[in-house]
Amino acid sequence: MTETAATLIEKPRSQWRDVWIQFRTHGGALAGMVVFLTLIAFVTVGPLVWTVDPSYVNPDAARMIMTRNKPPSLDWPLGTDQLGRDMLARMMAGGRVSIAVGLVAMSIAIVLGTTVGVLAGLFKRLDGPLMRLTDLVLALPLLPLLLVMVFLFRDALGRALGSETGTFVLIVSAIGATSWMQAARIVRGEVLALKEREFVLAARSIGTPPRRMILRHILPNVISPVMVAATLGIASAIITESALSFLGLGFPPDFPTWGRLLFEGVDYMQLYPERVLWPGLAISLTVLSVNYIGDGLRDALDPRIRGR
Amino acid sequence: MRDATGSAEPPLVRVRDLKMFFPVHTGVLRRHTGDVKAVDGVSFDIMEGETLGLVGESGCGKSTVGRALLRLCEITGGSVTIGGVDVATLSPAELRKARPLMQMVFQDPQASLNPRMTVAAIIGEPLDEHTTLSRDEKLARIYELMDAVGLNRRFASHYPHEFSGGQRQRIGIARALALNPKFIVCDEPIAALDVSIQAQVVNLLEDLQDRLGLTYLFISHDLSMVRHIADRVAVMYLGQIAELSPREALYAEPLHPYAKALLSAVPEPDPDREATRKRIILKGDVPSPANPPKGCNFCTRCPEAQERCHSTAPRLSEVAPGRFVACHRVTESAGATGATMANEHNQMGENE
């Protein structure tokens, strides 16, 4: 066996290929990915195909009343709402905002929570202050806090970034800033256990600086609980956004989101159950598919499970 | 005799009066009310190329000594000099630069390897931190190390959980060797392994020592394994060294009462001799290191304790060439020549 031949054959292969191979074997994750990609396509490509204005209300009052609360038909595949607006178009427009809010708010919460958790777990001096801060935010009633935040910053942000972008930034940062505590606590607990493990000691004896210690040894090992917290976080972010919109503090009333569609539909639930069905189904599918993707990703990232 | 007092060459590792206390906080105000004296005034030298065995029962501070030597925990007092560098007082940046000189092999090969890194990444980590090798050079070095510890190169992209205990320990050893260290602390490297694998790993360690001229501090509670690998053996009890002797002398005739008791517990493979083996059974428990007894720290369990042992603590002094014992009875009977040599050694210890 020559040296070069051996090197060529045995070059350590890329870890990400292994991750992908394992991910493919997880049926639920693959199905979740298909569903999630379909939903993304529905809200991004959909409006290009179904070019109906989601906020179009027929100016002719008589015709508007004629087209109110229609059941699904060829003209309106998902029916119409109480103002005769097309539900399919509203679902597409609303989904874009809801999915974006869910993903971005969750990312903010996870990044914030993981940072706080890792710092508190690793550095004893920061542990007390950071965890008391976490307890403090946990103890605050969140909805009033969100209301105050929206009330204080909406106009300023709206002026700076434009009404819709301003509201979007405000809502995702408000939701992100109020939902990182669970992740912080979970991560801190994991880090406290991890830093006593011998491989962390081994890394210290090698002389690995704290920054790379976190990136190389701590974070990859806390990924499982973070992944679970993240997938659940998307669902709660979408719901919180709808609660805010419902209270009139989220997006403007004529601006559709899945949460708002759901709340509007609740009033008519007994007469037109499909009106809550569509947004409810969409939110559930998003949450479920993201959950399954997270599950599959968590398994795929764990070399101990990957081997099986 | 291989010790600083006798040879002109300075020792690679010189430990003087090493103290490692862990503070105890009690009460509502978490006031500092005492210390757990895990290591309390330990001094020894290790010559280049030598293996010093460090034995003792659980909780006597063996591992803490090992960790303090590499400054994995901040020491309370004393000095540790490795290769002329005072490790105890280095700043974090200087310490990082000194790390390649000294490495450690850990007890639990399962816990000491990051489960999410491949073997190549684990062995390559020290190279990433301390060298500027290119990717291919690094890979070549990793393969070289895997060959050196007897791991198949094909396993480079496997994960630790896919290996047996012995193989994992080989990975740990390869990682410790990556930077060509001079001094390796082996912290019970065989305690978590099967007996058949223990021999393999110990032979590997010996083999590497011969080839690379390594110096070991071999921490273990397995007396027969220490007898096999060590040149000199230090017996620890309750944070202090009870006896430090060359291997043959210690195993033939232990001087300190604790060393006698400890060695009498080693089973004898020969049934005839096993039948006549006299076990010295110590009574009572090890005192708490947070509250060690007054005088000699072994006096509460020593079968030969006298009044003096309960009042003054004995110093580790040379009672025979190369043999250091911390016991009043042994020092007394050793006579005048031993005493002068002991003084020399003690003063040396105090000066530093």
Side-chain angles (χ1 to χ4, degrees):
Chain A
M1 188 168 74
T2 59
E3 191 80 346
T4 46
T7 320
L8 283 177
I9 297 161
E10 293 153 9
K11 198 132 195 156
R13 51 183 194 276
S14 159
Q15 201 178 329
W16 294 108
R17 255 195 67 206
D18 288 353
V19 170
W20 172 236
I21 289 168
Q22 170 68 28
F23 187 82
R24 274 192 329 208
T25 65
H26 195 295
L30 222 52
M33 189 126 117
V34 169
V35 170
F36 191 65
L37 287 179
T38 313
L39 279 167
I40 300 269
F42 174 70
V43 301
T44 52
V45 185
L48 303 176
V49 179
W50 187 256
T51 49
V52 176
D53 183 2
S55 53
Y56 175 75
V57 181
N58 203 320
D60 184 345
R63 302 199 68 160
M64 190 274 276
I65 289 169
M66 294 275 287
T67 55
R68 276 172 45 178
N69 299 327
K70 287 283 180 195
S73 66
L74 275 179
D75 285 344
W76 302 287
L78 299 182
T80 56
D81 71 354
Q82 74 279 11
L83 292 176
R85 289 174 293 196
D86 181 57
M87 276 300 279
L88 181 60
R90 286 178 77 72
M91 283 291 294
M92 287 170 178
R96 209 159 36 191
V97 178
S98 285
I99 290 180
V101 165
L103 289 178
V104 177
M106 176 273 293
S107 315
I108 294 176
I110 289 301
V111 168
L112 212 61
T114 310
T115 313
V116 170
V118 166
L119 290 178
L122 268 192
F123 304 106
K124 220 172 177 182
R125 199 170 299 170
L126 292 174
D127 191 14
L130 282 179
M131 280 300 114
R132 294 300 80 74
L133 177 76
T134 309
D135 290 347
L136 185 93
V137 183
L138 265 178
L140 289 172
L142 288 190
L143 214 47
L145 183 74
L146 282 171
L147 297 186
V148 171
M149 281 171 81
V150 171
F151 181 73
L152 284 178
F153 302 119
R154 180 160 59 174
D155 292 342
L157 270 174
R159 269 198 303 278
L161 300 167
S163 169
E164 268 172 36
T165 331
T167 315
F168 180 79
V169 169
L170 178 66
I171 287 189
V172 293
S173 44
I175 295 174
T178 50
S179 50
W180 53 270
M181 296 82 69
Q182 305 296 342
R185 285 194 150 182
I186 296 168
V187 169
R188 171 185 173 261
E190 286 280 316
V191 171
L192 281 181
L194 270 178
K195 75 170 180 182
E196 297 304 321
R197 296 275 298 273
E198 273 187 341
F199 65 81
V200 174
L201 202 65
R204 273 179 59 206
S205 80
I206 285 166
T208 308
R211 184 165 35 90
R212 279 203 285 281
M213 181 89 82
I214 292 171
L215 290 179
R216 196 180 290 155
H217 296 288
I218 304 286
L219 282 184
N221 282 293
V222 296
I223 205 139
S224 310
V226 167
M227 207 67 100
V228 174
T231 51
L232 295 177
I234 289 188
S236 60
I238 291 178
I239 301 296
T240 314
E241 181 276 321
S242 60
L244 276 180
S245 299
F246 179 68
L247 289 168
L249 287 161
F251 291 98
D254 58 334
F255 194 86
T257 68
W258 284 347
R260 174 170 288 274
L261 293 180
L262 190 64
F263 274 111
E264 280 175 357
V266 166
D267 298 340
Y268 302 88
M269 194 161 66
Q270 285 179 325
L271 289 169
Y272 313 107
E274 74 271 12
R275 293 267 297 279
V276 284
L277 197 67
W278 305 130
L281 199 66
I283 295 178
S284 316
L285 277 180
T286 311
V287 170
L288 208 62
S289 60
V290 171
N291 249 326
Y292 269 111
I293 294 172
D295 200 36
L297 212 54
R298 191 190 58 197
D299 286 0
L301 285 174
D302 191 337
R304 278 161 296 191
I305 295 172
R306 208 187 299 153
R308 273 179 228 145
Chain B
M1 187 179 96
R2 303 169 89 169
D3 199 80
T5 45
S7 100
E9 201 187 335
L12 181 71
V13 180
R14 160 173 295 197
V15 180
R16 286 291 171 269
D17 200 27
L18 180 68
K19 287 194 172 101
M20 187 71 224
F21 296 169
F22 296 101
V24 179
H25 298 279
T26 47
V28 185
L29 297 173
R30 317 301 301 159
R31 244 199 295 253
H32 180 211
T33 48
D35 294 297
V36 174
K37 295 178 178 167
V39 179
D40 190 6
V42 164
S43 307
F44 57 84
D45 295 322
I46 310 178
M47 306 304 292
E48 193 155 356
E50 183 190 38
T51 302
L52 178 70
L54 191 58
V55 297
E57 60 199 278
S58 350
C60 71
K62 312 184 289 287
S63 293
T64 312
V65 168
R67 287 176 189 195
L69 250 56
L70 300 191
R71 221 174 103 180
L72 292 176
C73 36
E74 290 304 314
I75 65 175
T76 313
S79 73
V80 177
T81 317
I82 299 178
V85 186
D86 189 355
V87 180
T89 55
L90 288 180
S91 71
E94 290 170 324
L95 184 65
R96 199 174 119 71
K97 273 195 210 121
R99 287 286 185 206
L101 190 66
M102 50 202 189
Q103 287 293 316
M104 188 155 180
V105 175
F106 291 88
Q107 172 174 8
D108 185 351
Q110 165 85 58
S112 67
L113 305 174
N114 186 340
R116 301 211 172 223
M117 283 164 82
T118 61
V119 171
I122 290 170
I123 301 176
E125 191 185 359
L127 301 173
D128 290 337
E129 289 302 329
H130 291 282
T131 62
T132 51
L133 297 177
S134 75
R135 224 170 188 207
D136 289 337
E137 286 170 333
K138 215 174 278 174
L139 199 62
R141 174 77 179 134
I142 290 168
Y143 283 150
E144 195 183 309
L145 287 162
M146 288 179 76
D147 291 346
V149 298
L151 278 172
N152 194 318
R153 288 179 175 201
R154 276 202 322 244
F155 295 148
S157 51
H158 287 230
Y159 289 86
H161 71 95
E162 296 169 276
F163 293 92
S164 69
Q167 285 173 318
R168 282 185 206 146
Q169 196 58 285
R170 284 169 195 266
I171 300 170
I173 294 170
R175 169 176 62 188
L177 290 175
L179 295 167
N180 294 318
K182 281 185 162 170
F183 175 54
I184 296 184
V185 174
C186 305
D187 185 4
E188 309 216 25
I190 51 168
L193 304 177
D194 289 347
V195 178
S196 56
I197 312 293
Q198 286 186 355
Q200 283 180 19
V201 171
V202 166
N203 287 339
L204 172 68
L205 286 170
E206 282 193 314
D207 196 36
L208 291 169
Q209 183 170 39
D210 289 344
R211 269 194 286 159
L212 307 171
L214 298 169
T215 306
Y216 292 139
L217 174 68
F218 193 88
I219 301 169
S220 182
H221 55 243
D222 185 336
L223 293 165
S224 42
M225 214 41 113
V226 169
R227 180 177 198 169
H228 179 69
I229 194 170
D231 299 311
R232 287 189 305 142
V233 180
V235 180
M236 270 188 87
Y237 180 79
L238 203 63
Q240 292 175 356
I241 289 184
E243 176 164 357
L244 173 61
S245 292
R247 167 187 60 183
E248 291 310 329
L250 179 76
Y251 281 86
E253 187 214 357
L255 295 177
H256 194 283
Y258 178 67
K260 281 183 203 164
L262 198 64
L263 289 173
S264 79
V266 180
E268 191 70 52
D270 181 350
D272 292 336
R273 277 155 73 187
E274 172 70 16
T276 58
R277 179 166 69 102
K278 264 192 277 171
R279 278 279 267 128
I280 303 172
I281 311 277
L282 295 176
K283 291 196 178 65
D285 280 327
V286 185
S288 160
N291 185 21
K294 198 166 170 289
C296 173
N297 64 3
F298 187 53
C299 67
T300 51
R301 302 171 73 194
C302 183
E304 302 167 30
Q306 299 165 319
E307 217 164 285
R308 189 178 160 203
C309 301
H310 289 278
S311 55
T312 49
R315 297 193 61 100
L316 190 68
S317 44
E318 190 162 18
V319 293
R323 303 200 65 174
F324 298 86
V325 178
C327 179
H328 291 307
R329 286 182 55 93
V330 179
T331 329
E332 274 164 22
S333 57
T337 44
T340 40
M341 282 178 79
N343 275 339
E344 250 173 60
H345 181 78
N346 280 341
Q347 267 161 16
M348 214 184 78
E350 279 155 17
N351 289 341
E352 257 143 320

